[in-house]
Amino acid sequence: MSGSLHDVKNDVWMRAVIVSVILLAVGGAAYGAFAVGVGSVKHNDWDAAHEDLENAELEWNTANETGTLAEQEAASDAWDEAHEADIDAHLSYLTWVTAGKTILVMMIIYAAFYGISGFYNSIQPEDDHDDHHHGDDHEEHHGSASPILMATGILLFMMGFPGFVTTCKSLLGLDYQAEMGDFTLSMIGSAILIVGIGNWWNEDLKGHHEQIATSHPFQGQDIRKAGMWIFLISEMMVFASFFSSYLRMRTGWCTEWAVDAGKCDVVDTVTASDLLRHEVGTLLPGAINTFALIISSYTIVLALKTAKDVNWEPSKNALMAKLFPTRKKTVRNYLIITLALGSLFIVLKLVEWSHLIAEGFTIDTQAGSIFYVATGAHGLHVFIGLLVMLFMIFKADVLEDGYDEHNGQGIEYFGLYWHFVDLAWVAIFPAFYLY
Amino acid sequence: MGEHKYTGPIAGIFQKMADIIGKDVYYVNFLILMFFTLFEVAAVFFETVPGTDIQITRGAVWAVLIVVGIIKGYGIAAFFMHLKGDPFIYTRTALFPVLFVALMLWGIGLSNPAGIDQLPAWCTPNWDYSYVTE
């Protein structure tokens, strides 16, 4: 990729650190407003609803002992209503608290990603940021250690991950035995991963010439584009394994659908779809997420289109012209919109999970296991995409000309990944939410 | 981007629609994806066709989900992922794993209607499935 930042100054990296502080403030504000503020109100409502339920239960018991049949039926109906209200109040409380906590955690991770990588680069001598070619468009690519560093970091992190989780639980005061060896391994992996990410940022911001494949079958094509497609092939196989597992299990379950079709008599498995598809309120998060991903696919296309459009002009509409004043800012703002939509996807997914778990649909059942693993793996892909997008926003902001016709391929290749994530959701949404 | 005119039986329709409304193919594709997603959700949510007594059968829902999935998949892969305008090697690359995916779905997914508690012996090396059968 070519770039136009001839000398990556320390103040550029310090901007990353400042942005991370802003992200932390946003996370804190969202947590305060949603989880603490609205969450407290909703918790009070839930307490009140629970008290109503207890009163209704008492009245029902009294009616059963001393009341007439009509009074017993009225008390039973009142209990049903109170029970419904109690569940609704609980789910409403979960919605706000989960949203607040999710935004806080996401912002902490965003801030760490930005801040640590920025700080890592800012403490390096400025000469190290600049090589002999001054990062211009004609610089040859000399190969990069970043992918190997990042892969090694992830490997070590995952090797120690189970122990890392139990150690974290132990540190939180829960009844778990700390496993410091695995925890240390994970921390070393994290450190190597951060160095890899920081290195990759540094190299990518300086820019380099696009490498072209010289042999069959991708001869003449950009190597990074071919590489991205090869990567997507492997991703297809990952998601295919989830679907084949799901199909295998699903064909053995007696679900609502199977009973309706006369395949079996008694429902033995409740799927996520059974809990979600019958009411607008429960189907809504999944449906909104589907639209959010499609819109985000379109906004990334718009970012790329704008970057490559040498004749770009601001809109004649005053509001649009204000939102998208220059080509550089337009690309950046489309990327920010994409990031916001992807973040919305994660928040709604976790809100939906919290509701499902509250209704007893947990990971320790067959249906829950495949649902959470498949949708969780997809959510993880979205989240990793959001982290990459954070860097692209940073790059779009700090490069002199932002993304343009010379370096827009970065958006194109990332777009391929993002569209693939959208494509996977096209299959996951009907399979797990609708059917 | 946007300058390329798409041809072909399906992509040509997208291009024609884009020409009619005076926008690019990406915009048309976006609208089509949004419409079909709405259609997909509605097909599952409603038990009868709204405003009528016509029952939406299980077969109809299946058909809608599969057809809409194909349309949406085509729209994303062909236009958003540029397979339609890019050299054919990328389409070949994208289609390469389809055989393996089909084998997995058919060979594993549909091979045992009884579910994971009755996997063939070679696939269950002394695993205890009591946790799923209880």
Side-chain angles (χ1 to χ4, degrees), chain A residues 298-312 327 330-331 334 404-405 408 411-412, chain B residues 1-3 23-27 82:
Chain A
Y298 184 54
T299 50
I300 201 123
V301 166
L302 289 177
L304 174 60
K305 198 178 151 192
T306 308
K308 295 213 165 180
D309 187 358
V310 287
N311 300 317
W312 187 88
R327 180 157 70 138
T330 300
V331 173
Y334 277 133
D404 56 22
E405 67 279 14
I411 301 176
E412 185 184 347
Chain B
M1 283 186 76
E3 302 301 319
K23 298 274 186 181
D24 61 22
V25 166
Y26 305 109
Y27 184 73
H82 314 128

Side-chain angles (χ1 to χ4, degrees), chain A residues 383-396:
Chain A
F383 193 67
I384 290 168
L386 293 177
L387 293 180
V388 178
M389 206 161 344
L390 269 177
F391 167 70
M392 289 170 62
I393 292 168
F394 177 67
K395 183 173 174 177

Side-chain angles (χ1 to χ4, degrees), chain A residues 257-268:
Chain A
W257 285 95
V259 170
D260 290 345
K263 304 261 184 201
C264 51
D265 300 321
V266 183
V267 172
D268 64 9

Side-chain angles (χ1 to χ4, degrees), chain A residues 56 195 314-315 320 397:
Chain A
V195 170
S315 169
M320 291 294 280
D397 198 35

